[in-house]
């Protein structure tokens, strides 16, 4: 079935704050495509599945999937890539020939964001904070990037142990020890919700971190968390959540339309301007 305009979108809950429509619509315009990218509130898993099936039946090209439905998307796809299975989450659905294909572009997005930046590896040890929904993709990316010593600190240690075991080659760490023994750490990544608007700040001392190490916070609201502000003051390499958002979106767009937005940094600058204008 061919629908005109072509339909794609993002589904999650809540979805109001998603920057994906802004980003994809900009690329749709840049490539002069007859396509529409819509944000959809999935409400609950049952509604989510109903909407996905409905979009498939209506000839949509696919959907991005965000919190909290990435595991539901994995479960309902007919075919899932090995990287999505390993991460345990699907953030990209492609509809083709009446079938649902699931993939995960979050790990590649994190890695590509760093590759496009001025960062280069100093020490092959990383400290990840938080074992929630975003952690498996970050840990997978760090392993792919060549980090050989990765520790994972989480308030609920059991959750860190579960994720560490599933991803492999990751050492769980008690939350009290999150900022201990930083002297050989080359990168710190916050994947917790601490520091997000409406959440308490992340209590993390950078004092033991080598000065040429990187500090990354995958939060996008605000763009500058206290963690990043402190890291900038100490002249660490820093990155907020926007580059990862952009670089996970590029392969989604490419999978649906066969066209690759090639200027990720321009898209990051665009979203930064938009977020700064209306945070
Ligand atoms: P999401 O899927 O959006 O990542 P999540 O799975 O609930 O949400 O993950 C939130 C992360 O922030 C978890 O690592 C959580 O720790 P727990 O696993 O112990 O819940 C962490 N987090 C949230 N509030 C926290 C707090 N006040 N102190 C420490 N960690 C917190």
């Amino acid at each position: 079935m061919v629908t005109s305009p072509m339909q794609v979108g993002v589904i999650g809950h809540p979805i109001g704050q998603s920057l994906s429509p802004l980003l994809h619509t900009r690329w749709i315009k840049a490539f002069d495509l007859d396509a529409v990218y819509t944000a959809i509130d999935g409400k609950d898993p049952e509604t989510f599945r109903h909407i996905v099936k409905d979009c498939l039946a209506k000839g949509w090209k696919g959907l991005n999937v965000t919190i909290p439905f990435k595991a539901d998307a994995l479960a309902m796809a007919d075919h899932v890539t090995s990287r999505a299975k390993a991460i345990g989450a699907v953030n990209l659905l492609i509809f083709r020939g009446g079938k649902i294909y699931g993939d995960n572009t979050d790990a590649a997005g994190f890695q590509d964001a760093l590759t496009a930046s001025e960062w280069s590896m100093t020490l092959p040890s990383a400290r990840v904070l938080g074992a929630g929904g975003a952690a498996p993709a970050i840990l997978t990316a760090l392993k792919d990037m060549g980090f050989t010593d990765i520790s994972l600190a989480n308030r609920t240690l059991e959750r860190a142990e579960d994720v560490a075991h599933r991803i492999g080659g990751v050492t769980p760490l008690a939350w009290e020890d999150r900022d201990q023994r930083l002297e050989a750490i080359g990168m710190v990544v916050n994947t917790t919700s601490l520091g997000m608007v409406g959440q308490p700040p992340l209590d993390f001392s950078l004092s033991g971190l080598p000065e040429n190490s990187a500090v990354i916070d995958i939060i996008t609201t605000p763009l500058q968390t206290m963690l990043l502000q402190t890291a900038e003051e100490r002249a660490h390499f820093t990155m907020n959540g926007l580059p990862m958002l952009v670089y996970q979106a590029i392969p989604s767009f490419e999978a649906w339309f066969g066209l690759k937005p090639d200027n990720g940094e321009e898209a990051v600058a665009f979203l930064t301007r938009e977020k700064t204008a209306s945070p």
Side-chain angles (χ1 to χ4, degrees), residues 23 26-27 242 246 250 263-272:
L23 185 58
R26 187 172 167 85
W27 289 332
L242 286 185
V246 167
I250 290 173
N263 196 341
E265 293 309 286
E266 192 274 336
V268 172
F270 163 68
L271 287 185
T272 305

Side-chain angles (χ1 to χ4, degrees), residues 178-198:
R178 62 192 176 280
D179 52 9
Q180 300 301 302
R181 295 187 309 278
L182 294 177
E183 60 280 356
I185 298 289
M187 181 180 285
V188 173
V189 188
N190 176 41
T191 81
T192 74
S193 46
L194 296 171
M196 224 179 255
V197 165

